[in-house]
């Protein structure tokens, strides 16, 4: 149980275009999802916290207008990278905690999306 | 401020041997959770083990055990009987209870199991 599906797993886009990444909780409700960014050989850096039905909370230094987050339902959060540039190329990964699930089971992560902007 | 430190960028271990991956943390929150995740080259984050700050006993999950020393603020991961499939990046993470479930990750340790 507690599976998070993330799509696409990889995407190549042209500079200036927008890319949408989806994160779905398949068998549980996730009131909160987290979006991380990971550069090669580096750790995961939290970008924003996505709350169902309300605005996302962005970490300091993350451009809200560039990384649009929508959490319209209890099972779906999306991250849209707008007007992508080569420096946005990175590995993006989401995570969620099942509502009511004991914290000892950890947070479930999606499989990640490798974005390459050319 | 929350901080996770993993001082071993890379580790090698012989197959079937045990290995310890170090993790220290810093937090002023009295209640927190400590986690270890495995990230293979494919990228997904695989949850391995959890230790609560108030847990009296060290957590164990199969071949994984967590050496929790609260006074030293360390949460080292011990992998016993290493297997080739254990080769991956390993991340230590902390989630203080009062921060809205936010995770703080260490920089990771790359483990290579040698046949």
């Amino acid at each position: 149980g507690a599976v998070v599906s993330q799509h696409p797993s990889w995407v190549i886009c042209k500079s200036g275009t927008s890319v949408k990444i989806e994160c779905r909780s398949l068998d549980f409700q996730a009131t909160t999802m987290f979006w991380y960014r990971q550069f090669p050989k580096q750790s995961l850096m939290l970008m924003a916290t996505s709350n169902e039905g309300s605005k996302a909370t962005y970490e300091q230094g993350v451009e809200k207008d560039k990384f649009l987050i929508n959490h319209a339902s209890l099972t779906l959060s999306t991250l849209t990278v707008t007007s992508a540039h080569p420096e946005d190329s990175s590995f993006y990964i989401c995570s969620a905690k099942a509502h009511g699930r004991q914290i000892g089971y950890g947070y479930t992560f999606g499989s990640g999306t490798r974005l390459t902007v050319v | 401020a929350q901080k996770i430190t993993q001082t071993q960028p890379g580790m090698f271990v012989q197959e079937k041997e045990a290995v310890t991956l170090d993790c220290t943390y810093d937090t002023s929150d009295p209640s927190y959770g400590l986690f270890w995740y495995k990230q293979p080259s494919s990228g997904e984050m695989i949850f391995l083990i959890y230790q609560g700050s108030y847990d009296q006993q060290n957590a164990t999950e199969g071949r994984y055990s967590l050496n929790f020393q609260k006074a030293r603020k360390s949460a080292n991961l011990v992998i016993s009987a290493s297997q080739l499939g254990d080769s991956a990046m390993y991340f230590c993470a902390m989630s203080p209870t009062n921060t809205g479930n936010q995770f703080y990750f260490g920089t990771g340790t790359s483990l290579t199991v040698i046949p």
Side-chain angles (χ1 to χ4, degrees), chain B residues 83-97:
Chain B
Q83 303 172 356
L84 296 178
D86 293 336
S87 295
M89 282 291 290
Y90 288 81
F91 290 96
C92 179
M94 179 183 65
S95 180
T97 304

Side-chain angles (χ1 to χ4, degrees), chain A residues 32 34 36 38 41-46 49 59 91 93 97 103-112 114, chain B residues 33 35 37 39 41-47 49-50 89 91 95 97 100-108:
Chain A
T32 303
F34 304 90
Y36 295 85
Q38 185 182 28
K41 300 188 184 300
Q42 294 189 23
S43 187
L44 280 72
M45 299 300 296
L46 180 66
T49 301
E59 294 300 300
F91 187 70
I93 191 166
K97 176 177 176 289
I103 191 170
Y105 288 96
Y107 287 65
T108 304
F109 282 80
S111 53
R114 199 165 300 279
Chain B
F35 302 80
Y37 282 86
Q39 187 180 42
S41 57
S42 52
E44 74 267 31
M45 295 287 283
I46 303 168
F47 167 68
I49 196 167
Y50 162 82
M89 282 291 290
F91 290 96
S95 180
T97 304
N101 302 318
Q102 184 169 331
F103 266 51
Y104 299 88
F105 285 90
T107 50

Side-chain angles (χ1 to χ4, degrees), chain B residues 2 8 26 29 58 60 62 76 79 84 102 110-111 114-115:
Chain B
Q2 327 291 344
Q8 306 155 314
D26 191 17
D29 288 80
N58 287 344
T60 60
N76 299 338
I79 305 175
L84 296 178
Q102 184 169 331
S110 176
L111 177 67
I114 305 169

Side-chain angles (χ1 to χ4, degrees), chain A residues 65-93:
Chain A
D65 296 333
K66 182 167 190 61
F67 299 100
L68 300 179
I69 291 174
N70 184 275
H71 195 154
S73 75
L74 285 171
T75 59
L76 174 64
S77 177
T78 61
L79 168 67
T80 301
V81 183
T82 63
S83 187
H85 291 284
E87 57 265 29
D88 298 324
S89 298
S90 187
F91 187 70
Y92 295 86
I93 191 166

Side-chain angles (χ1 to χ4, degrees), chain B residues 14-30:
Chain B
Q14 201 77 36
E15 192 178 7
K16 300 181 183 179
E17 296 293 315
V19 64
T20 298
L21 306 184
D22 295 340
C23 173
T24 58
Y25 60 93
D26 191 17
T27 181
S28 57
D29 288 80

Side-chain angles (χ1 to χ4, degrees), chain A residues 3 5 12-14 18-19 26-27 40 48 70 77 80 95 106-107 110-111 116 118:
Chain A
V3 176
S5 175
I12 301 173
C13 71
K14 290 185 177 180
S18 296
V19 174
L26 297 184
D27 50 1
N70 184 275
S77 177
T80 301
S95 77
Y107 287 65
S111 53
T116 302
V118 298

